[in-house]
C-alpha cells in the first residue's frame, strides 16, 4: 500500500472532472499556496479553474502524487483503476452513491468494493467525502471554502462530516489548525490510518476526531498505541449511536448502556479525551497544542472580580476540576504582593488594587501558581476593540507569560464569554506559550478533558470483540442462568423449582425458612409482582405463589446481612465490544442510574476504581458507621462473570446480575438474567 505521507503532502496534483466542484479544487489549491504543478483533466474542456486542461490521464507530463476524482460514481471506479496503474499515490473520491446509500441504491456496496479493488495499492480517501486541506504544505484537495491559512505547525482534525469540518476551519478562537481530513465511507483508508499518518508528521502537535461511528476497533487501538509512542494527544467528539446498541433488550443493563456508554468506555480505555461539543473540541485542542496534555485537574485561578472567582469555583465543581487550598508559602507571597485588604483563596479575587501595575500582577500570579498545579488560569475578557483601546489588558497577558517563565507552570487566559478573547489576542497568547481559552464553561471542560489524555492506555489488553452472535437468542430461565453462574464460580442462593403453587410450599421446607419466592418466565419480576421476600412458612409460600402471575416458581434461600446491592451487567455492542456495567443494584437501579462502564477485559484495579467512583461507592466501604462489604468477594464475582463472557463470547448477547447482594463476608447473585444463543 502506498504511504499516506505521499498522498497527504504531494508534489504534483491531478484534478479529474470539469464541474463547479473541480474548478473549486483547482482554485483552492492555488489560493492555499500549493507550489507544485496542478493538472486538470477533462476530455472536452481546454481549461479548468483557470489552468490548461489535459484530455486524459495518459497525456499528463508526469505521475501525480495525489488526485481529486470529481466524476460520477461509475466513472470514479474506472478513473481509480487508471490512476493506480500509472503509480499515483492516492485519490480523493468525491462521488456519493456507494455503501452509504445502500438503502436507496442496491448496488452501493458492490460498487464500493469495485472501487477498492480498482485502487489496488493506491490510497483511496472516501468515497463520499470532501478530501484534504493541509495548511502545512498548501494542499487543498477540497471542493469548497475553508478557513485554514498556511502555518508551520498545529493540530489536525479528521471527521466524518465535511460540513462540520468546514465550520471548524472557520473558528476565530486562535486554534492553529494545520490540517483537516474528511474520511467519508472509509472504504479502504480508515480514520485511524489517517490519524497515524498525521501524528507521525512532526509538525502536527495534536489530533482531533469527529466520530459518527467506529467501524474498525482494532485500527483505533493501533492509533491509540501509536499516539502513546509518539507522545501526542488525541481528543474525540463522538456523536451518534449504532443500530446494534439500540436493539430492544430485556435487561436493566441494556437500557443503561448502549452505544454511548460503549464509546465512552472505549475512548477512556484508549487514553483519548472525549468532549461533547464542537466548542469544547476547539478549546481542548488549543490546550493540547500548547501543553501536550495536563497531568491532573489541579488548577489555580486568578481574576480581578469576586463574581468571576465565584463562577470559576461553581463551574469548576460541576465539571470536576480541583482548586487546591493555598499553603503557607503561597499565602505569604500573595500577602506581600497584594497587601492586607485582599482575602486570599483559590480561586483568587485579587481585586483591582494592582490593576495597571505589571510588576505587581506578575508577582501575584507567580505567587499563586508557584505550586504543584497542572494549570494556572487568569480570567480576562478584553473590551470591544471596535470601541476601546485597552493597552492595560496586554499588561495582564505579559504578566501571565512572565509567570509561566518564572514557575514552569502551564498558564492559560480564560474569558468569561467566548468573544472575550479576540482572535488577535488568542493568536498572540499562543505565540507566547499561553493557552487562550474562550468561554469559561468550555474552558473548564477542556481542562478536564486535557487531563484525561493517556489515562488507562498503557498496557491495555485488546478489547474482546463479539464473534458470531447472529443467530436467534433466548432468555434463559433464572434457574438456568444461575446454574451457569454457579459453574463459573459465582455464589448463588440454594434453590429448588416448583411446578405449581401447592408444591412451592413443600419445596420451601426442603431449603429452610425464611425463603424467597419468584415467578418464572418474567424478566422484571418486581414490577410484575412476581417476587415475595422473607416468607417464613410453607403456607405463606403457597399463598404467595397463588397470587403471582406465573405457572412455575423458583424457591430460594433468603440472603441476609446485606451491606449493599450492586448491578453487574454485560451487553454485546458490535461497535465497541462487550460493555461491562457496574452500579447501584436492586429496585432503584434505573431511578438512581449510578453506573460506570468498562470494556472487557478489564483488570481488577480498573473494576475497583470504577466501583469506588460511583456516587454510592461509599456503601461498599462503609458509611456513617455502617460496616463495609467484602470488596474482594465482589471483585472476584465481577472477574468470574468476565471470564464467563469470554468463554461464551460467540453467542452471548447480554447477562445481568441484579442484585448482587454484598455482605460483610461474601457476595451472592440473588437474581440473574442471561440472553444467549443455544450452543451448536
Amino acid at each position: 500500500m502506498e504511504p499516506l505521507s505521499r498522498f497527504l503532502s504531494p508534489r504534483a496534483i491531478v484534478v479529474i472532472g470539469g464541474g463547479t466542484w473541480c474548478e473549486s479544487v483547482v482554485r483552492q489549491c492555488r489560493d492555499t499556496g500549493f507550489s507544485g504543478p496542478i493538472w486538470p483533466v477533462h476530455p472536452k474542456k481546454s481549461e479548468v479553474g483557470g489552468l490548461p486542461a489535459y484530455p486524459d490521464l495518459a497525456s499528463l507530463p508526469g505521475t501525480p502524487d495525489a488526485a481529486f476524482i470529481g466524476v460520477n460514481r461509475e466513472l470514479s471506479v474506472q478513473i481509480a483503476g487508471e490512476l493506480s496503474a500509472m503509480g499515483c499515490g492516492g485519490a480523493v473520491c468525491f462521488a456519493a452513491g456507494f455503501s452509504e446509500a445502500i438503502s436507496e441504491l442496491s448496488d452501493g456496496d458492490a460498487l464500493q468494493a469495485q472501487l477498492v479493488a480498482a485502487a489496488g495499492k493506491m490510497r483511496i480517501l472516501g468515497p463520499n467525502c470532501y478530501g484534504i486541506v493541509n495548511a502545512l504544505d498548501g494542499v487543498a484537495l477540497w471542493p469548497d471554502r475553508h478557513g485554514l491559512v498556511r502555518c508551520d505547525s498545529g493540530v489536525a482534525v479528521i471527521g466524518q462530516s465535511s460540513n462540520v469540518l468546514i465550520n471548524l476551519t472557520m473558528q476565530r478562537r486562535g486554534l492553529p489548525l494545520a490540517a483537516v481530513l474528511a474520511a467519508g465511507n472509509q472504504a479502504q483508508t480508515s480514520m485511524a490510518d489517517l490519524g497515524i499518518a498525521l501524528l507521525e508528521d512532526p509538525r502536527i502537535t495534536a489530533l482531533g476526531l469527529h466520530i459518527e461511528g467506529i467501524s474498525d476497533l482494532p485500527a483505533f487501538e493501533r492509533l491509540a498505541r501509536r499516539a502513546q509512542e509518539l507522545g501526542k494527544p488525541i481528543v474525540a467528539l463522538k456523536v451518534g449511536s449504532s443500530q446494534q446498541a439500540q436493539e430492544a433488550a430485556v435487561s436493566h443493563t441494556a437500557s443503561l448502556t448502549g452505544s454511548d456508554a460503549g464509546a465512552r468506555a472505549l475512548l477512556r480505555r484508549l487514553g483519548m479525551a472525549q468532549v461533547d461539543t464542537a466548542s469544547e473540541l476547539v478549546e481542548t485542542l488549543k490546550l493540547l497544542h500548547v501543553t501536550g496534555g495536563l497531568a491532573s485537574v489541579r488548577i489555580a485561578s486568578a481574576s480581578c472580580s469576586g463574581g468571576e472567582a465565584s463562577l470559576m469555583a461553581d463551574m469548576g465543581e460541576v465539571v470536576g476540576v480541583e482548586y487546591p487550598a493555598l499553603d503557607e508559602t503561597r499565602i505569604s507571597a500573595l500577602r506581600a504582593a497584594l497587601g492586607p485588604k485582599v482575602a486570599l483563596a483559590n480561586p483568587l479575587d485579587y481585586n483591582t488594587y494592582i490593576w495597571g501595575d505589571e510588576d505587581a500582577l506578575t508577582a501575584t500570579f507567580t505567587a499563586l501558581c508557584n505550586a504543584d498545579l497542572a494549570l494556572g488560569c487568569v480570567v480576562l475578557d478584553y473590551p470591544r476593540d471596535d470601541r476601546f483601546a485597552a493597552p492595560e489588558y496586554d499588561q495582564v497577558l505579559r504578566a501571565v507569560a512572565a509567570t509561566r517563565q518564572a514557575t514552569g507552570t502551564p498558564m492559560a487566559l480564560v474569558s468569561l464569554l467566548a468573544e472575550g478573547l479576540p482572535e488577535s489576542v488568542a493568536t498572540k497568547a499562543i505565540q507566547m506559550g499561553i493557552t487562550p481559552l474562550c468561554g469559561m464553561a468550555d474552558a473548564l471542560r477542556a481542562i478536564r478533558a486535557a487531563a484525561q489524555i493517556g489515562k488507562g492506555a498503557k498496557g491495555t489488553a485488546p478489547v474482546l470483540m463479539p464473534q458470531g452472535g447472529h443467530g436467534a437468542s433466548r432468555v434463559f430461565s433464572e434457574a438456568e442462568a444461575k446454574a451457569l453462574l454457579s459453574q463459573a464460580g459465582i455464589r448463588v442462593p440454594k434453590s429448588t423449582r416448583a411446578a405449581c403453587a401447592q408444591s412451592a410450599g413443600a419445596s420451601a421446607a426442603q431449603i429452610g425458612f425464611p425463603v424467597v419466592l419468584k415467578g418464572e418466565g418474567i424478566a422484571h419480576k418486581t414490577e410484575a409482582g412476581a417476587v415475595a421476600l422473607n416468607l417464613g412458612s410453607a403456607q405463606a409460600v403457597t399463598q404467595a405463589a397463588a397470587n403471582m402471575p406465573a405457572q412455575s416458581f423458583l424457591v430460594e434461600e433468603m440472603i441476609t446481612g446485606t451491606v449493599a446491592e450492586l448491578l453487574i451487567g454485560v451487553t454485546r455492542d458490535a461497535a465497541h465490544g462487550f460493555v461491562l456495567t457496574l452500579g447501584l443494584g436492586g429496585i432503584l437501579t434505573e431511578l438512581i442510574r449510578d453506573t460506570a462502564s468498562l470494556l472487557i477485559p478489564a483488570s481488577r484495579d480498573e473494576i475497583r476504581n470504577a466501583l469506588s467512583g460511583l456516587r454510592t461507592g461509599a456503601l461498599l466501604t462503609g458509611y456513617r458507621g455502617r460496616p463495609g462489604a467484602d470488596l474482594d468477594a465482589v471483585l472476584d464475582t465481577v472477574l468470574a462473570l468476565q471470564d464467563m463472557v469470554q468463554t461464551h463470547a460467540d453467542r452471548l448477547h447480554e447477562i445481568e446480575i441484579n442484585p448482587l447482594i454484598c455482605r460483610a463476608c461474601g457476595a451472592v447473585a440473588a437474581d440473574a438474567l442471561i440472553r444467549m444463543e443455544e450452543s451448536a
Side-chain angles (χ1 to χ4, degrees):
M1 193 68 69
E2 283 282 349
L4 274 167
S5 57
R6 180 186 171 201
F7 177 38
L8 299 178
S9 301
R11 292 167 296 177
I13 289 171
V14 61
V15 179
I16 302 103
T20 302
W21 296 112
C22 292
E23 290 180 353
S24 180
V25 171
V26 173
R27 286 194 299 270
Q28 292 295 343
C29 262
R30 296 173 71 182
D31 292 347
T32 306
F34 183 68
S35 58
I38 305 169
W39 301 320
V41 171
H42 194 276
K44 298 178 181 179
K45 292 187 176 182
S46 60
E47 65 93 29
V48 174
L51 293 180
Y54 296 85
D56 50 41
L57 292 173
S59 303
L60 296 181
T63 301
D65 298 297
F68 184 90
I69 305 175
V71 297
N72 65 55
R73 64 188 193 121
E74 290 84 2
L75 188 54
S76 292
V77 175
Q78 176 187 326
I79 295 296
E82 294 178 15
L83 287 167
S84 179
M86 69 187 300
C88 181
V92 174
C93 185
F94 178 59
F98 292 87
S99 63
E100 86 286 351
I102 187 64
S103 60
E104 295 85 17
L105 299 169
S106 59
D107 65 341
D109 270 345
L111 197 63
Q112 183 161 303
Q114 292 173 30
L115 176 69
V116 173
K121 293 183 178 180
M122 181 185 73
R123 290 287 186 172
I124 280 285
L125 187 59
N128 183 37
C129 77
Y130 265 29
I132 303 165
V133 182
N134 172 1
L136 300 168
D137 300 310
V139 179
L141 294 171
W142 191 265
D144 206 337
R145 294 181 178 88
H146 66 82
L148 271 65
V149 295
R150 291 295 296 269
C151 60
D152 296 324
S153 69
V155 305
V157 178
I158 308 171
Q160 292 177 262
S161 166
S162 300
N163 203 54
V164 167
L165 291 174
I166 289 174
N167 293 337
L168 288 173
T169 72
M170 302 298 177
Q171 56 81 33
R172 300 180 186 181
R173 299 182 176 208
L175 175 67
L177 194 52
V180 294
L181 283 76
N185 291 6
Q186 304 179 74
Q188 178 218 66
T189 303
S190 71
M191 182 179 285
D193 296 330
L194 295 168
I196 291 172
L198 288 168
L199 291 176
E200 288 178 343
D201 187 326
R203 300 170 295 177
I204 298 295
T205 57
L207 179 63
L209 303 175
H210 170 243
I211 307 171
E212 294 178 5
I214 296 174
S215 59
D216 188 347
L217 197 151
F220 258 78
E221 292 178 314
R222 291 195 299 272
L223 171 60
R225 287 195 298 270
R226 190 64 180 129
Q228 285 283 312
E229 293 166 358
L230 294 168
K232 293 189 178 182
I234 300 175
V235 57
L237 172 59
K238 172 69 175 68
V239 298
S241 58
S242 69
Q243 182 63 38
Q244 292 86 347
Q246 294 179 339
E247 289 176 348
V250 294
S251 73
H252 292 279
T253 308
S255 68
L256 290 166
T257 58
S259 179
D260 182 64
R264 289 181 182 277
L266 174 65
L267 294 171
R268 185 168 57 248
R269 182 188 186 96
L270 297 182
M272 299 179 185
Q274 185 171 3
V275 294
D276 296 316
T277 69
S279 294
E280 290 173 37
L281 178 65
V282 170
E283 298 309 311
T284 305
L285 282 171
K286 281 191 287 185
L287 195 51
L288 297 179
H289 171 75
V290 176
T291 69
L294 300 181
S296 71
V297 292
R298 291 167 51 87
I299 69 172
S301 172
S303 65
C304 65
S305 159
E308 290 171 341
S310 296
L311 285 170
M312 284 290 283
D314 290 349
M315 292 183 187
E317 183 178 20
V318 171
V319 167
V321 303
E322 299 174 11
Y323 296 100
L326 301 177
D327 55 29
E328 289 302 322
T329 299
R330 286 195 288 168
I331 289 174
S332 177
L334 285 168
R335 185 61 68 206
L338 293 171
K341 296 182 180 180
V342 176
L344 302 182
N346 182 22
L348 173 68
D349 166 20
Y350 61 84
N351 276 270
T352 55
Y353 299 117
I354 59 173
W355 186 256
D357 185 339
E358 191 169 325
D359 290 339
L361 288 167
T362 301
T364 298
F365 302 156
T366 299
L368 177 65
C369 297
N370 191 18
D372 178 22
L373 299 169
L375 187 70
C377 300
V378 175
V379 180
L380 184 69
D381 282 67
Y382 273 66
R384 291 179 56 142
D385 56 9
D386 60 338
R387 298 183 184 178
F388 307 97
E392 67 273 24
Y393 285 75
D394 288 337
Q395 291 181 323
V396 179
L397 176 58
R398 292 193 295 269
V400 173
T403 298
R404 186 182 72 85
Q405 291 286 343
T407 65
T409 299
M411 297 296 294
L413 283 182
V414 176
S415 62
L416 176 63
L417 300 177
E419 57 267 32
L421 289 178
E423 187 172 19
S424 59
V425 174
T427 300
K428 185 191 302 184
I430 289 179
Q431 292 170 349
M432 298 170 74
I434 300 165
T435 306
L437 295 175
C438 303
M440 191 178 287
D442 289 335
L444 289 165
R445 291 188 180 94
I447 291 167
R448 180 193 60 194
Q452 297 170 1
I453 297 295
K455 303 296 191 295
K458 296 179 180 178
T460 301
V463 171
L464 175 66
M465 288 302 296
Q467 303 295 326
H470 303 299
S473 63
R474 73 174 178 89
V475 178
F476 285 38
S477 70
E478 186 176 348
E480 291 175 301
K482 286 182 173 175
L484 286 173
L485 294 180
S486 181
Q487 292 172 18
I490 296 171
R491 167 89 159 85
V492 298
K494 292 184 292 183
S495 65
T496 184
R497 297 182 65 203
C500 64
Q502 202 63 37
S503 62
S507 298
Q510 299 173 15
I511 294 176
F513 299 102
V515 297
V516 177
L517 179 69
K518 300 177 180 180
E520 290 191 317
I522 300 170
H524 300 301
K525 298 179 180 63
T526 301
E527 292 90 327
V531 177
L533 305 176
N534 207 28
L535 300 175
S537 67
Q539 181 179 2
V541 171
T542 300
Q543 183 61 47
N547 294 332
M548 286 185 182
Q551 302 301 314
S552 59
F553 306 90
L554 185 65
V555 186
E556 294 183 333
E557 65 172 313
M558 180 74 186
I559 304 300
T560 58
T562 301
V563 172
E565 292 185 345
L566 286 180
L567 171 146
I568 308 172
V570 178
T571 53
R572 180 191 197 93
D573 185 332
H576 310 111
F578 286 94
V579 183
L580 169 65
T581 298
L582 308 168
L584 176 69
I587 62 174
L588 299 179
T589 293
E590 290 176 307
L591 180 63
I592 303 299
R593 301 182 74 86
D594 181 20
T595 61
S597 293
L598 302 168
L599 294 182
I600 291 177
S603 69
R604 192 178 188 92
D605 284 343
E606 287 172 327
I607 296 167
R608 186 194 306 272
N609 291 338
L611 290 170
S612 65
L614 296 173
R615 298 194 306 274
T616 52
L619 294 175
L620 293 171
T621 56
Y623 179 68
R624 291 196 172 184
R626 296 181 58 178
D630 185 346
L631 189 55
D632 282 330
V634 174
L635 295 173
D636 289 343
T637 300
V638 179
L639 288 170
L641 186 70
Q642 179 171 263
D643 289 343
M644 179 180 167
V645 171
Q646 291 173 305
T647 299
H648 300 287
D650 59 334
R651 58 195 187 99
L652 181 69
H653 287 247
E654 57 183 307
I655 184 169
E656 177 180 282
I657 298 172
N658 185 26
L660 177 74
I661 295 180
C662 308
R663 304 193 292 181
C665 183
V668 184
D671 200 355
L673 181 150
I674 294 176
R675 184 162 66 92
M676 191 162 60
E677 298 168 25
E678 300 289 359
S679 57

